[in-house]
């Protein structure tokens, strides 16, 4: 992992502003999809665009306004204007418009118009991420077969080397109640991906087994236990296993047993202390005063053992 740079006040402020803008953009895209009424006029938008012509959020709001007026073709024309107007350096802004445009075609156009527009999209955007966007639109519409086809193309675009592309397909299968197909797909992914990507892929799959309605917590545990058998000192595996068991498991005693196991593994003092801290936080939230004191006592015992050595 790359070490994160310390955030300055200005960078934090920019990050907050970006998050607010992304939230508003998502809201406006939903309005675009739903065709909800937005109380503004075309002249208002035109005036705003004079000074904010690179703002995808503004263009998408304008498109949503036209959709609300049932002016679908006018919304398309505005999308085309946006793509022509936004500065070529503002790639993310253009991508937002492409996505909104695809949503219009999916809801109001035809399969042919979606495909035609998508051919244009991949001329301006890498095939993997373009297919991610298309798959999300299809999945939101419960059009799972088309979503899977798009993600299959994303896997192909990465020559089978993208962990994210495989996992998106796996998650989609789980979401569409096709757990057996998801499990078969995992085996394909493991065969295709380089070994260095196996652990994270398997852990994400285990999380799916725990969290998805079509999954199985017991199968998730089997995956986690298999990883610990091969990599007993991988703290990232231990942490994630504990996290999913705590969040999705139905028996908190399983979490306690994991903590009891991990503190016996030979690893650095710093790492063991992190697990004690995590365990203490867990008991403070889910346990009792007696269990909190028990964890503290085990921690003191551990420290005393270090001093004795």
């Amino acid at each position: 992992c790359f070490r994160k740079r310390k955030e300055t006040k200005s960078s934090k402020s920019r990050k907050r502003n970006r998050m607010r803008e992304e939230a508003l953009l998502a809201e406006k895209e939903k309005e675009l999809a739903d065709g909800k009424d937005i109380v503004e006029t075309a002249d208002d938008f035109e005036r705003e665009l004079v000074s904010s012509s690179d703002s995808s959020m503004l263009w998408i709001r304008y498109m949503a306004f036209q959709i609300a007026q049932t002016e679908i073709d006018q919304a398309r024309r505005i999308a085309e204007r946006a793509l022509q107007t936004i500065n070529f350096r503002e790639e993310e802004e253009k991508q937002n418009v492409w996505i909104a445009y695809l949503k219009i075609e999916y809801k109001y156009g035809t399969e042919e118009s979606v495909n035609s527009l998508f051919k244009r999209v991949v001329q301006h955007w890498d095939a993997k991420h373009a297919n991610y966007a298309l798959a999300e639109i299809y999945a939101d519409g419960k059009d799972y077969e088309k979503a899977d086809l798009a993600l299959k193309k994303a896997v192909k675009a990465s020559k089978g080397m993208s962990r994210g592309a495989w996992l998106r397909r796996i998650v989609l299968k789980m979401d569409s109640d096709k757990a057996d197909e998801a499990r078969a797909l995992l085996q394909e992914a493991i065969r295709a991906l380089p070994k260095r990507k196996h652990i994270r892929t398997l852990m994400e799959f285990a999380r799916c087994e725990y969290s998805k309605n079509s999954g199985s917590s017991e199968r998730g545990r089997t995956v986690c236990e298999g990883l610990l058998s091969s990599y007993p000192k991988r703290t990232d595996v231990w942490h994630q296993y504990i996290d999913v068991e705590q969040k999705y498991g139905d028996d908190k005693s399983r979490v306690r047993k994991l903590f009891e196991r991990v503190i016996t593994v030979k690893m650095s003092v710093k790492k063991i202390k992190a697990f004690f801290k995590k365990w203490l936080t867990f008991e403070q939230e889910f346990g009792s005063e007696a269990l909190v004191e028990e964890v503290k006592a085990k921690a003191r015992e551990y420290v005393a053992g270090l001093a004795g050595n």
Side-chain angles (χ1 to χ4, degrees):
C1 294
F2 293 104
R3 184 172 293 177
K4 291 184 178 178
R5 291 181 296 178
K6 189 175 181 180
E7 289 187 324
T8 63
K9 286 186 178 179
S10 60
S11 67
K12 286 181 179 178
S13 178
R14 286 195 299 271
K15 185 176 181 180
R16 284 195 298 270
N17 289 338
R18 186 170 65 251
M19 289 175 69
R20 281 196 295 269
E21 184 167 324
E22 287 174 354
L24 186 55
L25 176 62
E27 182 182 337
K28 294 302 178 184
E29 285 189 345
K30 188 176 187 303
E31 290 173 348
L32 173 64
D34 295 342
K36 289 184 179 177
D37 187 39
I38 303 169
V39 186
E40 287 169 313
T41 69
D43 288 342
D44 289 337
F45 285 111
E46 293 295 344
R47 278 192 293 271
E48 287 187 51
L49 285 169
V50 171
S51 58
S52 304
S53 60
D54 286 338
S55 171
S56 60
M57 183 176 65
L58 181 55
W59 285 106
I60 290 169
R61 283 170 53 203
Y62 198 1
M63 293 157 66
F65 169 78
Q66 296 296 346
I67 293 289
Q69 310 303 313
T70 66
E71 295 287 351
I72 311 303
D73 286 339
Q74 185 63 14
R76 290 184 175 110
R77 283 191 284 271
I78 290 166
E80 293 290 351
R81 274 181 61 196
L83 294 169
Q84 290 294 322
T85 304
I86 295 174
N87 192 292
F88 72 92
R89 293 186 181 86
E90 301 290 343
E91 292 184 6
E92 190 172 337
E93 300 295 322
K94 281 184 175 284
Q95 288 167 4
N96 290 336
V97 174
W98 281 119
I99 292 170
Y101 198 175
L102 280 168
K103 288 179 178 179
I104 289 175
E105 292 305 335
Y106 177 65
K107 184 161 187 179
Y108 300 102
T110 63
E111 185 174 347
E112 184 180 352
S113 69
V114 172
N115 292 337
S116 177
L117 180 59
F118 188 72
K119 287 178 182 178
R120 293 174 57 197
V121 173
V122 293
Q123 292 174 9
H124 302 277
W125 197 358
D126 71 273
K128 183 178 78 170
H129 289 93
N131 275 290
Y132 283 176
L134 183 62
E136 188 172 337
I137 292 169
Y138 283 139
D140 286 345
K142 308 297 183 187
D143 205 339
Y144 293 122
E145 286 189 15
K146 289 180 181 177
D148 185 54
L149 181 59
L151 290 176
K152 193 172 183 179
K153 290 178 180 177
V155 170
K156 185 177 180 179
S158 71
K159 298 181 180 179
M161 294 293 104
S162 171
R163 181 179 63 89
W166 283 107
L167 285 170
R168 282 171 186 258
R169 279 198 76 195
I170 288 168
V171 169
L172 180 73
K173 294 291 187 184
M174 285 288 198
D175 285 341
S176 53
D177 295 325
K178 295 180 178 179
D180 287 341
E181 289 185 24
R183 291 165 191 141
L185 202 54
L186 173 69
Q187 300 308 314
E188 283 187 51
I190 293 300
R191 287 194 295 270
L193 291 168
K195 191 173 182 179
R196 60 188 169 81
K197 295 186 178 183
H198 287 185
I199 293 176
R200 288 184 65 189
T201 303
L202 287 164
M203 276 308 308
E204 286 299 323
F205 179 76
R207 183 179 294 275
C208 280
E209 288 283 14
Y210 271 95
S211 64
K212 300 298 182 180
N213 290 335
S214 61
S216 159
S217 295
E218 197 54 51
R219 286 177 181 270
R221 288 185 195 101
T222 299
V223 173
C224 292
E225 290 293 343
L227 284 169
L228 287 179
S229 177
S230 300
Y231 309 97
K233 296 183 180 182
R234 286 287 300 244
T235 57
D236 57 337
V237 174
W238 278 107
H239 276 293
Q240 290 180 72
Y241 188 7
I242 290 168
D243 288 344
V244 294
E245 192 64 68
Q246 177 178 326
K247 186 172 182 179
Y248 302 109
D250 55 4
D251 184 354
K252 294 296 185 255
S253 67
R254 291 180 184 274
V255 182
R256 294 185 179 96
K257 288 176 182 177
L258 289 175
F259 280 122
E260 288 169 358
R261 285 168 58 190
V262 72
I263 62 171
T264 66
V265 178
K266 289 185 178 180
M267 58 179 76
S268 73
V269 174
K270 183 179 179 181
K271 290 176 180 177
I272 292 294
K273 284 185 175 180
F275 283 108
F276 269 117
K277 185 177 180 180
K278 191 184 188 90
W279 191 359
L280 184 62
T281 300
F282 169 79
E283 294 299 0
Q284 287 170 337
E285 184 175 354
F286 299 102
S288 62
E289 283 188 26
L291 288 169
V292 168
E293 291 305 317
E294 188 176 318
V295 174
K296 290 180 179 179
K298 288 180 183 292
R300 288 193 294 270
E301 183 182 336
Y302 173 76
V303 172
L306 294 174
N309 293 332

